[in-house]
Amino acid sequence: MKLLEVQSSVRLERSISRSLSHEFVQAWQTNHSHAQHKMRDVGTNPPAHPTESWTKANYTPPEARTSEMVGVLSHSEQLIAELLWADRLLLGVPMYNLSVPSNFKAYLDNVVRVDRTFAFDQETFTLQGLATGKKALVITPSAGDYAPGTPMAKFDFCEPYLRAILEFIGIVEVTVIAVPNQFMPDEIRHQQIETARTKLMALAATW
């Protein structure tokens, strides 16, 4: 079993997504003693955003790419190789301004690429994800409560987007552990963290 952990919080010591992820990985490895684990930190070391030269290289057939094009795409290829290597994805993605952090969006823009993680059939005009056979677990803290049925639910562009983009590349087994109300008083905050921790510890034995 191979686990790729991707962290996107810009916080370090006070990051809820990082601390809960760390606890989960330790518990998960206890149940998968021979598992391999890699960590990609796009919170402290974000990938570059795509540029015009990147886009040109991306849409040039591999056999026609110049050495410069290959170099422009080299980091993206490394990120994709990590993604395709993994059987399990653990994503620490706090909600920033109702959506995912911009550094995580840059990561996604580097790994969601035609003929690498998804395919487009020009005859049938259909799309197919290529990163299949994987499971994803997303830990997403937020300032308020954006759960379905709440007054703030309509402002959640984080979880629906994550589910959609993961399905787009072929990852349909997605579990989201929300950690809401982190701008509330400490008693409420800690209760939500403990609820998420309990779910994650139970999941570590079966995921």
Side-chain angles (χ1 to χ4, degrees):
M1 192 75 71
K2 294 171 287 188
L3 170 65
L4 174 63
E5 175 186 354
V6 182
Q7 292 298 330
S8 62
S9 175
V10 298
R11 293 182 175 182
L12 295 175
E13 294 180 0
R14 296 184 299 157
S15 170
I16 297 163
S17 52
R18 288 178 185 274
S19 61
L20 287 175
S21 293
H22 178 71
E23 292 180 42
F24 175 81
V25 170
Q26 287 188 315
W28 186 80
Q29 287 180 318
T30 299
N31 292 284
H32 301 81
S33 57
H34 299 293
Q36 300 177 60
H37 171 236
K38 290 183 181 181
M39 207 273 269
R40 170 66 61 174
D41 193 336
V42 302
T44 60
N45 187 26
H49 290 278
T51 61
E52 182 178 4
S53 59
W54 186 100
T55 303
K56 183 178 180 180
N58 183 43
Y59 288 106
T60 298
E63 66 276 9
R65 288 173 187 156
T66 64
S67 58
E68 181 180 359
M69 288 177 173
V70 171
V72 166
L73 293 175
S74 61
H75 188 55
S76 170
E77 289 291 343
Q78 181 182 353
L79 297 176
I80 290 172
E82 286 180 347
L83 175 67
L84 297 178
W85 165 86
D87 303 302
R88 301 286 187 271
L89 302 177
L90 171 61
L91 308 177
V93 188
M95 177 188 281
Y96 286 1
N97 294 325
L98 310 181
S99 188
V100 301
S102 60
N103 43 27
F104 189 72
K105 180 61 167 61
Y107 170 79
L108 291 173
D109 287 344
N110 273 272
V111 299
V112 180
R113 284 177 48 199
V114 67
D115 294 329
R116 298 295 285 118
T117 53
F118 75 94
F120 175 66
D121 190 317
Q122 296 186 359
E123 294 184 359
T124 61
F125 304 107
T126 55
L127 295 158
Q128 180 181 358
L130 300 178
T132 56
K134 308 177 189 301
K135 292 183 180 180
L137 170 61
V138 183
I139 300 174
T140 176
S142 58
D145 188 353
Y146 298 85
T150 65
M152 296 292 286
K154 64 182 179 181
F155 295 110
D156 182 7
F157 297 94
C158 187
E159 179 177 339
Y161 171 67
L162 288 169
R163 288 187 179 278
I165 198 70
L166 290 170
E167 182 176 347
F168 184 80
I169 62 173
I171 304 173
V172 296
E173 293 190 58
V174 179
T175 302
V176 177
I177 303 295
V179 195
N181 290 326
Q182 293 307 297
F183 276 16
M184 298 295 282
D186 283 348
E187 180 180 355
I188 297 174
R189 288 182 56 248
H190 294 317
Q191 182 181 13
Q192 295 291 353
I193 293 171
E194 190 57 38
T195 297
R197 179 180 289 115
T198 299
K199 293 178 180 178
L200 287 166
M201 292 305 99
L203 193 59
T206 60
W207 186 69

mmCIF file of all heavy atoms in Angstrom, residues 13 41 50 71 149 165 171 202:
data_model
loop_
_atom_site.group_PDB
_atom_site.id
_atom_site.type_symbol
_atom_site.label_atom_id
_atom_site.label_comp_id
_atom_site.label_asym_id
_atom_site.label_seq_id
_atom_site.Cartn_x
_atom_site.Cartn_y
_atom_site.Cartn_z
ATOM 1 N N GLU A 13 2.847 25.092 12.888
ATOM 2 C CA GLU A 13 2.564 24.613 14.237
ATOM 3 C C GLU A 13 1.080 24.673 14.589
ATOM 4 O O GLU A 13 0.579 23.834 15.328
ATOM 5 C CB GLU A 13 3.367 25.426 15.256
ATOM 6 C CG GLU A 13 4.878 25.225 15.132
ATOM 7 C CD GLU A 13 5.634 26.038 16.152
ATOM 8 O OE1 GLU A 13 4.974 26.748 16.948
ATOM 9 O OE2 GLU A 13 6.870 25.982 16.157
ATOM 10 N N ASP A 41 4.497 18.869 0.435
ATOM 11 C CA ASP A 41 4.046 20.054 1.161
ATOM 12 C C ASP A 41 3.943 21.241 0.199
ATOM 13 O O ASP A 41 4.932 21.913 -0.091
ATOM 14 C CB ASP A 41 5.015 20.379 2.293
ATOM 15 C CG ASP A 41 4.453 21.390 3.282
ATOM 16 O OD1 ASP A 41 3.558 22.170 2.877
ATOM 17 O OD2 ASP A 41 4.897 21.403 4.437
ATOM 18 N N PRO A 50 0.926 27.526 -13.861
ATOM 19 C CA PRO A 50 1.167 27.377 -15.292
ATOM 20 C C PRO A 50 1.353 28.727 -15.977
ATOM 21 O O PRO A 50 0.745 29.730 -15.595
ATOM 22 C CB PRO A 50 -0.102 26.676 -15.785
ATOM 23 C CG PRO A 50 -0.595 25.918 -14.598
ATOM 24 C CD PRO A 50 -0.297 26.813 -13.425
ATOM 25 N N GLY A 71 11.814 20.625 -19.918
ATOM 26 C CA GLY A 71 12.231 21.250 -18.678
ATOM 27 C C GLY A 71 11.116 22.026 -18.009
ATOM 28 O O GLY A 71 10.961 21.973 -16.780
ATOM 29 N N GLY A 149 -27.567 21.935 4.437
ATOM 30 C CA GLY A 149 -28.686 22.254 5.303
ATOM 31 C C GLY A 149 -28.445 23.427 6.230
ATOM 32 O O GLY A 149 -29.381 23.935 6.852
ATOM 33 N N ILE A 165 -13.164 17.575 -8.930
ATOM 34 C CA ILE A 165 -11.882 17.495 -9.634
ATOM 35 C C ILE A 165 -11.244 16.127 -9.444
ATOM 36 O O ILE A 165 -10.602 15.597 -10.360
ATOM 37 C CB ILE A 165 -10.930 18.627 -9.185
ATOM 38 C CG1 ILE A 165 -9.793 18.816 -10.194
ATOM 39 C CG2 ILE A 165 -10.385 18.387 -7.795
ATOM 40 C CD1 ILE A 165 -10.215 19.397 -11.515
ATOM 41 N N ILE A 171 -10.786 9.504 -9.564
ATOM 42 C CA ILE A 171 -10.815 9.104 -8.159
ATOM 43 C C ILE A 171 -12.214 9.349 -7.617
ATOM 44 O O ILE A 171 -12.602 10.485 -7.333
ATOM 45 C CB ILE A 171 -9.766 9.882 -7.335
ATOM 46 C CG1 ILE A 171 -8.379 9.688 -7.948
ATOM 47 C CG2 ILE A 171 -9.779 9.423 -5.876
ATOM 48 C CD1 ILE A 171 -7.303 10.548 -7.327
ATOM 49 N N ALA A 202 -11.068 5.972 13.686
ATOM 50 C CA ALA A 202 -11.875 4.819 13.266
ATOM 51 C C ALA A 202 -11.578 4.464 11.812
ATOM 52 O O ALA A 202 -11.486 3.281 11.440
ATOM 53 C CB ALA A 202 -13.351 5.122 13.446
#
